[in-house]
Amino acid sequence: LIEGLYKEFSYLNNTLVSVEEYESEGFDNLIFRKIYKTYKEMKAEFGKIDFDDMLYLTFNLFKENPLILQKWQKRFEFFLIDEMQDMNDIQFEIIKMLAKTKNIFAVGDDDQSIYGFRGANPEIMQRFPVVYPECRKIILSKNYRSNKAIVDASSFLINSNEMRFSK
């Protein structure tokens, strides 16, 4: 029960969906919202944050304090995003805020996203060339990890996914 709640809390925070808009998968919406708000209040009361809070608080800090955002924009000249397929919406929004100079090197495989349960959104990879039209995409098409039978079988399944880069 608690694990299911935390999983939904995490998904909610990482997708930037408000608790009022969110439709709970496993709980009555009114009860879920009450528990969620109580959880947030208790963390605040005890001065505690979790990993999702770190992302959300960073996002809000940058959004509400342009001078702090500018300081961090100047701090880093280049950005490396590894496993981009596992990035969630709030992480992408933070990167867009920080990467003012657009010096981003992103690595990922939209066919390998496994963290959807916590808000990972492989569609971010599809949006990346729209947000950064001057980007260059390099597809590594040789598989060194698996034999041909495994690659062919997985390709057959993966190719039915319409929300992916063609490879």
Side-chain angles (χ1 to χ4, degrees):
L1 183 69
I2 291 175
E3 187 176 310
L5 273 173
Y6 185 73
K7 183 176 152 184
E8 288 199 53
F9 290 175
S10 182
Y11 180 84
L12 179 67
N13 291 331
N14 288 309
T15 56
L16 292 173
V17 174
S18 74
V19 71
E20 288 77 22
E21 296 174 289
Y22 181 72
E23 296 289 326
S24 175
E25 292 179 9
F27 304 90
D28 174 80
N29 287 321
L30 292 175
I31 293 171
F32 177 83
R33 289 178 184 122
K34 185 172 176 77
I35 294 170
Y36 179 80
K37 288 176 182 176
T38 302
Y39 174 67
K40 298 283 260 187
E41 289 167 2
M42 287 180 72
K43 284 191 298 181
E45 180 182 334
F46 291 104
K48 303 293 182 188
I49 63 172
D50 58 25
F51 181 73
D52 299 329
D53 293 331
M54 284 189 266
L55 293 173
Y56 188 76
L57 292 169
T58 300
F59 173 76
N60 279 335
L61 178 69
F62 289 164
K63 193 168 93 173
E64 295 170 6
N65 297 283
L67 293 176
I68 293 173
L69 174 59
Q70 286 174 358
K71 176 184 175 186
W72 285 99
Q73 287 171 332
K74 291 176 186 173
R75 176 111 163 87
F76 301 104
E77 187 176 351
F78 301 98
F79 296 88
L80 167 65
I81 303 169
D82 191 20
E83 303 290 350
M84 188 174 190
Q85 74 274 3
D86 295 326
M87 178 178 265
N88 60 44
D89 294 331
I90 197 166
Q91 290 169 327
F92 190 49
E93 292 302 317
I94 291 169
I95 284 292
K96 289 189 315 189
M97 290 175 172
L98 285 171
K100 187 176 179 186
T101 60
K102 300 179 175 81
N103 291 330
I104 302 172
F105 184 87
V107 178
D109 183 350
D110 54 338
D111 292 332
Q112 293 189 26
S113 182
I114 59 170
Y115 292 105
F117 65 90
R118 69 163 202 225
N121 184 356
E123 291 176 13
I124 290 170
M125 291 182 71
Q126 299 287 325
R127 292 195 318 257
F128 193 85
V130 175
V131 174
Y132 301 101
E134 67 281 358
C135 78
R136 189 169 51 139
K137 180 172 47 170
I138 300 169
I139 295 179
L140 305 177
S141 56
K142 179 94 171 134
N143 186 313
Y144 294 98
R145 291 185 181 173
S146 302
N147 66 38
K148 183 173 175 16
I150 292 172
V151 171
D152 289 346
S154 60
S155 293
F156 178 76
L157 292 171
I158 291 169
N159 284 333
S160 65
N161 181 2
E162 296 174 3
M163 289 302 300
R164 63 185 291 273
F165 290 116
S166 60
K167 300 175 185 81

